């Protein structure tokens, strides 16, 4: 078992209404030198979050105490670019368990699920509603219900369903991962390999 | 049923289909490097797992290595530690390792093809998104995260839903000085940086049929920059000629058998795609990017578009131009350049150095330019010397560095300083990609050479 189970998450959210947030912004390459998965949250959005002298940039949302919570809400095309799983580790390590956007880059989305973060893809309209609700009241809570595949803005009652395949859903709700699954397939893989050309 | 090249390779690698879930896909080749593998090995250890097929994994050090004085110990302690971890882990699990100083060492996506490790019809993964490079050989090749590296090490499989299929056709004749890099930057500018997300791309048409293997690798390499999982090109005589005789390529009877199979690897005439795009080669100019994602590119004679013309969000568009210090309607021609980077797995092969040399020959490096000329591998480095390109470079005032990823991701010391402008042959112009505050303009080796000798953004066609 690789991570905590995910079922229903009720939390305030941090709004990052920027599009095309790439993984080089989520965690810049110079912080990828560790050989252990530890402490990446400190450098999450490093260059947006801190000045060169390491003082926090006041206008960046993570530095605004008004916003907090376990849900990160990002603009369209979130997580593009590098395959670095360190980006998902940084998001997780910082304390987020769910990322909401209207569109995710493929590798980042996979990486999230593999480390126990739920990526929730909503419509463009619903994303705007979320941003508006948080803007109106930073203490607005969102409810992400994985078993029912539903995300709700609790203050307004607006809700939308989201997609996830049954296999991944099962993994997340039970805290299993792909390696657990593949380990049970050992013989099947061995016999497949025998037929392989390479 | 008629099927596509992608279907043929994918379907033949499915070990198990999971209902309402991903396919379990068998992986023929797995490349690892020092940055995205250490945590995967730790995972193996903590679960008490073995590497299932160590002979199918190949390790190289490239992302975080210096490009000068490689014979000296690596100064940065954290980097040295990562390199050591790769060496120790490879030795422990019986994985082939071409570390720093090894004559075969180089960027992971360059050494695979040049040693015949990459062969048509394979499934190939690596913890680096530009694994799509290997698609040039008709492979399904894509980047993975570290958890997936652990998966492949322990089970030689990965779990993926089958992506949708896109075909990009480019027909007609390319103009003077139009390189594969321009072709792919043009396609990304048309499709946007997320235009192919969820798809696997096949490139087809005259332009790709006539392209060299080096060029095809440049194109497939950048597939990820339009959001695609990967891109591939059907293998043909050009492919077979390139592979023949490479160290790890099949020989004798095995070659004949493999060749017969490789010839079946093409899309059937009446196979269909989820979406197709058609472009005319004659419309493609030398390309350069002006913003902070690879989709923000334009022909060198064009002006920077307005937010509305560019599409995408206005907020990120403004942020991007602000970061670059550019304005709507600016011409790119004549923009000041401080750094030139020739290298990376996008443009670090011999053809790229030939192109660069053809422009700098008989000219001098502009005084305001700092140039990093970095071969993709020691094999490329040797070719540069053997073909007399090194002499041309030296005479023009350029130095050749040692192989590695270098300023492509700036994990080592090769960082463009904050606020400085770079014309770079690499693949990403994200904020800070080439160093905190660095401003990157992506372009072809010709464009890089033109900037290197004139000191400003210049249409390379004027110098050829
Ligand atoms: S050159 Fe750049 S893109 Fe290529 S493998 Fe290295 S870091 Fe990745």
């Amino acid at each position: 078992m690789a991570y905590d189970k995910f079922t229903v998450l009720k939390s305030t959210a941090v709004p990052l209404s920027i599009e095309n947030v790439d993984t080089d912004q989520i965690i810049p390459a110079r912080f990828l030198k560790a050989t252990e998965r530890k402490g990446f949250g400190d450098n999450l959005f490093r260059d947006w979050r801190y000045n060169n002298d390491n003082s926090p940039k006041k206008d960046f949302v993570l530095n605004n105490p008004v916003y907090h919570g376990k849900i990160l809400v990002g603009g369209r095309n979130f997580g593009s670019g590098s395959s670095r799983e360190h980006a998902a580790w940084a998001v997780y390590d910082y304390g987020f368990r769910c990322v909401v956007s209207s569109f995710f880059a493929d590798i980042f989305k996979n990486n999230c699920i593999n480390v126990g973060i739920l990526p929730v893809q909503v419509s463009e309209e619903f994303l705007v509603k979320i941003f508006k609700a948080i803007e109106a009241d930073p203490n607005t809570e969102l409810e992400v219900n994985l078993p029912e595949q539903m995300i709700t803005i609790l203050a307004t009652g607006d809700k939308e369903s989201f997609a996830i395949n049954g296999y991944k859903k099962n993994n997340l709700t039970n805290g299993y991962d792909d390696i657990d699954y593949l380990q049970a397939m050992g013989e099947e893989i061995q016999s497949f390999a025998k037929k392989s050309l390479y | 049923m008629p099927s596509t090249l992608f279907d043929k390779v994918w379907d033949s690698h499915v070990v198990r289909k999971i209902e309402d879930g991903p396919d379990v896909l068998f992986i023929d080749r797995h490349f690892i490097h020092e940055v995205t593998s250490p945590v995967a090995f730790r995972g193996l250890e903590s679960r008490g797992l073995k590497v299932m097929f160590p002979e199918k994994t190949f390790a190289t050090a490239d992302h975080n290595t210096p490009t000068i004085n490689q014979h000296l110990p690596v100064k940065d302690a954290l980097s040295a530690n990562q390199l050591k971890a790769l060496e120790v882990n490879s030795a422990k699990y019986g994985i082939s390792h071409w570390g720093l100083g090894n004559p075969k060492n180089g960027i992971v996506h360059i050494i695979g093809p040049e040693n015949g490790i990459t062969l048509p019809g394979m499934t190939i993964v690596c913890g680096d998104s530009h694994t799509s490079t290997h698609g040039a050989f008709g492979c399904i090749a894509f980047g993975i995260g570290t958890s997936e590296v652990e998966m492949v090490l322990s089970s030689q499989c990965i779990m993926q839903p089958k992506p949708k299929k896109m075909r990009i056709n480019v027909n007609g004749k390319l103009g003077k000085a139009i390189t594969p890099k321009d072709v792919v930057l043009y396609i990304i500018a048309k499709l946007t940086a997320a235009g192919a997300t969820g798809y696997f791309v096949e490139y087809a048409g005259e332009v790709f049929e006539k392209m060299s293997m080096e060029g095809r690798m440049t194109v497939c390499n950048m597939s990820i920059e339009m959001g695609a999982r990967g891109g591939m090109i059907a293998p043909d005589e050009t492919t077979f000629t390139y592979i023949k005789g490479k160290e790890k390529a099949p020989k004798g009877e095995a070659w004949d058998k493999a060749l017969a199979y490789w010839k079946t690897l093409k899309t059937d005439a009446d196979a269909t795609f989820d979406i197709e795009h058609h472009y005319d080669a004659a419309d493609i100019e030398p390309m350069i990017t002006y913003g902070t994602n690879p989709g923000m590119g334009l022909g060198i004679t064009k002006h920077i578009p307005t937010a509305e013309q560019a599409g995408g969000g206005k907020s990120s568009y403004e942020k991007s131009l602000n970061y670059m210090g550019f304005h709507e309607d600016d011409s790119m021609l004549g923009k000041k350049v401080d750094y030139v980077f020739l290298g990376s797995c996008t443009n670090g092969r011999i053809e790229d150095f030939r192109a660069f040399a053809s422009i700098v020959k008989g000219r001098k490096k502009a005084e305001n330019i700092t140039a990093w000329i970095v071969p993709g591998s020691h094999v490329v480095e040797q070719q540069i010397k053997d073909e007399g390109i090194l002499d041309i470079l030296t005479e023009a005032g350029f130095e050749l560095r040692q192989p590695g990823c270098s300023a492509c991701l700036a994990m080592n010391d090769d960082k463009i300083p904050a606020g400085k402008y770079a014309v770079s042959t690499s693949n990403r112009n994200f904020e800070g990609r080439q160093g905190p505050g660095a401003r990157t303009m992506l372009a072809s080796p010709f464009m890089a050479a033109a900037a290197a000798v004139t000191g400003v953004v210049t249409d390379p066609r004027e110098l050829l």
Side-chain angles (χ1 to χ4, degrees), chain B residues 363-376:
Chain B
R363 296 191 169 95
K364 290 276 179 234
K365 182 181 81 65
E367 268 178 27
N368 60 312
I369 296 287
T370 304
W372 290 332
I373 312 293
V374 188

Side-chain angles (χ1 to χ4, degrees), chain B residues 62-63 107-109 128 130 221 344-345 405 408-409 427 433:
Chain B
D62 57 0
H63 277 61
I107 303 175
V108 59
H109 310 310
D128 179 281
H130 293 91
N221 173 280
S344 87
C345 59
C405 295
C408 174
L409 89 164
N427 41 55
R433 169 76 177 186

Side-chain angles (χ1 to χ4, degrees), chain B residues 16 52 63 245 264 274 365:
Chain B
R16 183 191 283 183
M52 197 176 206
H63 277 61
T264 67
D274 296 290
K365 182 181 81 65

Side-chain angles (χ1 to χ4, degrees), chain A residues 20, chain B residues 181-194 222 225-226 283-306 309-311 317 320-321 324 326 330-332 424 426-430 440-444 447 457:
Chain A
N20 299 314
Chain B
K181 182 64 163 292
D182 300 303
V183 174
V184 73
L185 282 174
Y186 178 86
I187 296 171
I188 303 167
K190 288 278 175 200
L191 283 177
T192 79
M222 299 271 299
E225 305 310 336
M226 51 189 107
D283 293 340
I284 306 176
E285 278 193 286
M287 296 287 294
I288 190 160
T289 63
Y290 60 90
T292 54
N293 74 57
M296 300 173 84
L298 42 67
I300 189 68
T301 63
K302 306 273 195 312
H303 288 221
I304 295 180
T306 61
Q309 288 163 342
Y317 184 83
S320 178
L321 286 197
M324 291 300 290
F326 293 161
D330 279 3
S331 164
M332 292 303 287
S424 177
S426 55
N427 41 55
R428 287 192 171 134
N429 50 355
F430 298 150
T440 302
M441 294 172 269
L442 300 175
S444 75
M447 186 83 80
V457 174

Side-chain angles (χ1 to χ4, degrees), chain B residues 297-439:
Chain B
L298 42 67
I300 189 68
T301 63
K302 306 273 195 312
H303 288 221
I304 295 180
T306 61
E308 289 72 39
Q309 288 163 342
K314 189 158 173 79
S315 60
S316 61
Y317 184 83
E318 278 167 7
K319 187 171 187 300
S320 178
L321 286 197
N322 225 353
Y323 180 86
M324 291 300 290
F326 293 161
H327 305 95
E328 288 182 0
D329 202 38
D330 279 3
S331 164
M332 292 303 287
L333 286 169
K335 289 253 185 239
K336 171 177 155 260
V337 179
D338 307 294
Y339 283 76
V340 166
F341 173 53
L342 174 67
S344 87
C345 59
T346 312
N347 283 122
R349 284 169 288 269
I350 187 62
E351 208 170 72
D352 305 312
F353 290 83
R354 287 183 197 137
F356 189 89
S358 72
I359 284 192
V360 305
K361 187 173 183 178
R363 296 191 169 95
K364 290 276 179 234
K365 182 181 81 65
E367 268 178 27
N368 60 312
I369 296 287
T370 304
W372 290 332
I373 312 293
V374 188
S377 69
H378 282 300
V379 172
V380 175
E381 184 184 25
Q382 195 55 48
Q383 284 172 305
I384 290 170
K385 291 178 182 162
D386 294 346
E387 294 189 11
I389 292 173
L390 181 57
D391 299 332
I392 297 173
L393 293 174
T394 314
E395 238 161 75
F398 295 96
E399 272 169 56
L400 187 65
R401 297 173 80 94
Q402 290 171 300
C405 295
S406 180
C408 174
L409 89 164
M411 253 190 101
N412 65 0
D413 290 339
D414 307 347
K415 291 181 177 54
I416 313 283
K420 297 289 181 194
Y421 288 97
V423 170
S424 177
T425 65
S426 55
N427 41 55
R428 287 192 171 134
N429 50 355
F430 298 150
E431 281 185 33
R433 169 76 177 186
Q434 298 198 284
R439 294 157 154 174

Side-chain angles (χ1 to χ4, degrees), chain A residues 6 8-15 68-74 98-101 120 122 126-135 137-145 150-160:
Chain A
F6 193 117
V8 180
L9 175 67
K10 216 196 290 178
S11 168
T12 51
V14 177
H68 49 84
K70 293 186 172 183
I71 301 173
L72 176 64
V73 188
C98 172
V99 185
V100 180
S101 174
V120 172
V122 296
F126 197 75
L127 189 69
V128 172
K129 278 187 193 162
I130 298 177
F131 280 134
K132 282 209 175 121
I134 302 173
E135 202 182 309
D137 176 9
N139 290 321
T140 297
E141 281 192 314
L142 302 179
E143 185 189 274
V144 180
N145 186 321
M150 191 66 77
I151 175 165
T152 310
I153 305 171
L154 291 175
T156 63
D158 279 313
K159 54 171 86 179
E160 191 171 276

